[in-house]
Amino acid sequence: KVKSTLSNWSHLIGREVSLVGCTHSVRKLKNHLFLGLTDGSTVHHLQIVVPRRDTCLDDFNPSRGDIIRVSGAIIPSLNPHLQTIELCASQAEIVSKCAANFPFINSKNMSLEEQCRLYHLRTRLPYMQHMMRLRSAVTHAIHAFYRHHDMLFVDTPILTSNNCEGGSECFTVTGTSNTHEEFFDSKVQLTVSSQLHLECMLHGLGSVYCMQHAFRAEKSMTTRHLAEFTMLEAEISGVTELETLVKNVENLIKWVIDSILSETNMAEHLKRIWEHQKGHKNMYFTDLKSLKDVVNSNFTSIEFTEAIELLNKLENNGGKDGHLNINSELLRKHELKLTQYLKGPVFVCNFPTKQKAFYARVNDDNNTCASFDLLVPQISELVGGSLREERLGVLESNIQSCIPNQQDRHKLDWYLDLRRYGALRHGGYGLGLERLLAWITGTQTVKNTLPFPRFL
């Protein structure tokens, strides 16, 4: 592999190696060919030097994108400021020819937007290679965080009859391809959230989490929405105070960022992504120091009522949002204004009960619920969560208020069983992985944080 060759170069000087890979670059001089070889094991390439006067290699004439097999000795580079080693080829052949109309032949002349539209090919480009490796590192860091806190990773179903978000933005499973009959006896849809199933497992397994694909049929064409996305969801046993849940989320975000900064390769990937996006507006992070500042800071936490008062104050000082009241919902422009004024991530806590789902625990004032949204610059909402209502009577009343249709309410009888047969106090939250990556990397759309985005 190119990666192991570059990593162990000091032990390979003078030794023969054979590699198969793709020609990232081709430079033809009178006496030599200089090729950049990559095989996907690393974003870096190994320089191959091919003597043109070697009769064994007379017919070797590769182009960019060709798959080649090459053998030769590893030697110190004549230009050590550019690369440490190079491979002096003694044998080389083209294994698979790249067509002349390969769209990335002149990728340097293409905008990032143009490159990223070719979804089936774009992982051959440095930008997506850096992004996918960073995504992998973020995923590993999340697992490490929960292992450190003794939480269990579990799988949850994608096919479900429940919509825990309470809306109608679901993809319905209609049946098999060769019949008009329904496959299931009742209406089934692709999941929008794994929360309710996580709560089932919490009572037998303790604190649990999952990273599952979720689906929403929301007809939105914004840079923050996808029809299929990855949701990190956690349910934590024994949580009785919202502050505990909020602190867990803050520690998770900081853990992930700190993990990236502590790995030299990941920090390098991040810097390369930023370089590709130079000139883009609204990037919150532009260097490693700004990321470290978030790790060393304390996230701001305010009540929903305080957020309304602050936004009205800002409006009176020249804003144009109009007067808000306790029943007003925060729009994205409001959320971004809060992060801008408070200069960083902001937890907005204790929303009006009517603005949150039936499972959010009702506070003693009976008007608000123990809930929160984490707002971050550039993105707005990144995480949403709440304490879960463990009191059977209150939960039944909430479901009746939120779901007027009796048949739909009946589908949640199993969820009520979790309270009927002994209920642990607990809380949980959901985080969109693509939004987290978009915030950290500064990419202008979540569509560039995964290989094959599905959107309207």
Side-chain angles (χ1 to χ4, degrees):
K1 296 290 185 179
V2 170
K3 182 178 181 179
S4 58
T5 303
L6 292 173
S7 300
N8 302 313
W9 65 269
S10 60
H11 302 290
L12 296 174
I13 296 295
R15 295 177 59 180
E16 292 277 327
V17 299
S18 296
L19 296 168
V20 176
C22 177
T23 52
H24 173 74
S25 60
V26 177
R27 186 160 55 98
K28 300 178 180 180
L29 300 182
K30 182 178 180 180
N31 296 323
H32 295 88
L33 286 177
F34 293 93
L35 311 175
L37 186 74
T38 181
D39 60 5
S41 61
T42 174
V43 294
H44 302 292
H45 64 265
L46 174 66
Q47 178 157 286
I48 311 296
V49 181
V50 183
R52 302 201 78 170
R53 293 181 178 178
D54 191 327
T55 55
C56 296
L57 300 172
D58 281 348
D59 297 330
F60 183 64
N61 188 29
S63 302
R64 183 180 178 186
D66 289 351
I67 305 300
I68 66 170
R69 181 182 290 110
V70 61
S71 300
I74 298 295
I75 62 173
S77 174
L78 297 177
N79 294 298
H81 61 287
L82 294 178
Q83 61 269 327
T84 308
I85 58 169
E86 51 197 25
L87 186 151
C88 185
S90 56
Q91 296 180 9
E93 63 174 321
I94 298 174
V95 176
S96 177
K97 193 71 179 172
C98 180
N101 62 348
F102 180 52
F104 297 146
I105 289 292
N106 296 310
S107 60
K108 289 184 178 181
N109 298 325
M110 299 173 67
S111 68
L112 182 60
E113 289 73 18
E114 289 174 315
Q115 293 178 18
C116 289
R117 287 193 195 110
L118 299 170
Y119 300 113
H120 61 302
L121 296 174
R122 65 181 185 167
T123 51
R124 302 187 185 202
L125 290 168
Y127 177 83
M128 287 305 296
Q129 292 169 2
H130 291 300
M131 183 67 78
M132 291 303 99
R133 283 177 168 81
L134 189 67
R135 182 185 175 104
S136 177
V138 167
T139 301
H140 283 292
I142 289 170
H143 284 296
F145 174 82
Y146 288 122
R147 283 198 302 271
H148 179 76
H149 288 82
D150 199 26
M151 292 179 64
L152 191 66
F153 175 74
V154 295
D155 292 312
T156 54
I158 288 177
L159 297 176
T160 179
S161 60
N162 298 114
N163 177 4
C164 78
E165 297 296 319
S168 58
E169 300 160 350
C170 301
F171 289 102
T172 302
V173 179
T174 57
T176 58
S177 59
N178 57 358
T179 179
H180 296 293
E181 295 180 3
E182 296 294 338
F183 185 83
F184 296 101
D185 292 335
S186 59
K187 183 179 178 181
V188 173
Q189 58 211 19
L190 300 180
T191 186
V192 297
S193 171
S194 298
Q195 178 203 316
L196 302 188
H197 292 98
L198 285 177
E199 289 192 61
C200 291
M201 288 183 272
L202 170 137
H203 283 81
L205 300 173
S207 300
V208 291
Y209 76 101
C210 70
M211 272 193 284
Q212 178 70 280
H213 282 227
F215 306 83
R216 292 191 184 177
E218 182 178 353
K219 292 188 176 181
S220 176
M221 299 177 68
T222 76
T223 57
R224 297 168 291 110
H225 288 89
L226 293 164
E228 178 184 0
F229 53 97
T230 303
M231 276 290 285
L232 163 66
E233 297 183 78
E235 291 294 321
I236 305 175
S237 178
V239 176
T240 60
E241 301 293 334
L242 189 63
E243 182 180 354
T244 305
L245 200 59
V246 163
K247 196 62 182 177
N248 181 272
V249 172
E250 180 175 346
N251 290 340
L252 168 65
I253 302 296
K254 291 179 177 180
W255 178 291
V256 170
I257 294 176
D258 200 44
S259 296
I260 295 171
L261 294 174
S262 64
E263 291 188 47
T264 303
N265 288 342
M266 289 305 115
E268 186 65 25
H269 289 315
L270 190 53
K271 288 192 286 188
R272 297 299 183 193
I273 291 171
W274 286 337
E275 287 177 8
H276 280 282
Q277 296 172 165
K278 280 183 178 178
H280 283 187
K281 298 179 180 179
N282 302 322
M283 285 177 59
Y284 185 65
F285 299 114
T286 54
D287 54 39
L288 298 180
K289 181 182 179 303
S290 58
L291 269 174
K292 193 66 177 178
D293 288 343
V294 168
V295 175
N296 294 329
S297 69
N298 292 316
F299 290 9
T300 302
S301 182
I302 62 174
E303 296 288 301
F304 177 82
T305 51
E306 293 179 283
I308 294 296
E309 292 172 1
L310 177 56
L311 288 165
N312 284 330
K313 178 182 176 182
L314 295 174
E315 195 279 331
N316 290 334
N317 289 333
K320 298 179 181 179
D321 290 338
H323 186 77
L324 302 173
N325 58 51
I326 193 64
N327 296 314
S328 300
E329 293 192 12
L330 298 183
L331 304 177
R332 183 170 186 255
K333 63 181 180 180
H334 300 137
E335 295 171 341
L336 291 176
K337 184 171 285 189
L338 288 171
T339 63
Q340 181 180 10
Y341 181 79
L342 296 170
K343 298 179 180 180
V346 181
F347 286 103
V348 179
C349 302
N350 296 310
F351 282 74
T353 304
K354 292 181 180 179
Q355 293 191 26
K356 293 298 179 180
F358 61 84
Y359 48 73
R361 194 178 199 275
V362 178
N363 289 326
D364 293 340
D365 61 12
N366 289 322
N367 294 317
T368 62
C369 57
S371 56
F372 73 88
D373 283 351
L374 173 60
L375 313 178
V376 297
Q378 178 191 335
I379 300 297
S380 66
E381 183 188 349
L382 178 62
V383 187
S386 72
L387 299 184
R388 310 312 191 193
E389 185 57 75
E390 86 287 356
R391 297 163 294 188
L392 177 60
V394 178
L395 183 59
E396 288 177 323
S397 177
N398 288 352
I399 291 175
Q400 191 163 2
S401 299
C402 295
I403 306 175
N405 185 284
Q406 185 175 0
Q407 188 175 359
D408 290 338
R409 291 201 301 269
H410 180 68
K411 294 178 181 178
L412 288 169
D413 281 349
W414 66 271
Y415 184 70
L416 292 172
D417 281 348
L418 303 181
R419 276 61 176 174
R420 289 190 182 103
Y421 306 134
L424 291 168
R425 291 287 300 273
H426 64 286
Y429 54 82
L431 177 153
L433 180 63
E434 286 78 19
R435 287 192 180 188
L436 176 61
L437 283 163
W439 181 48
I440 292 173
T441 63
T443 184
Q444 299 300 292
T445 171
V446 293
K447 299 176 183 67
N448 289 344
T449 63
L450 72 170
F452 302 104
R454 301 294 184 242
F455 56 95
L456 185 64

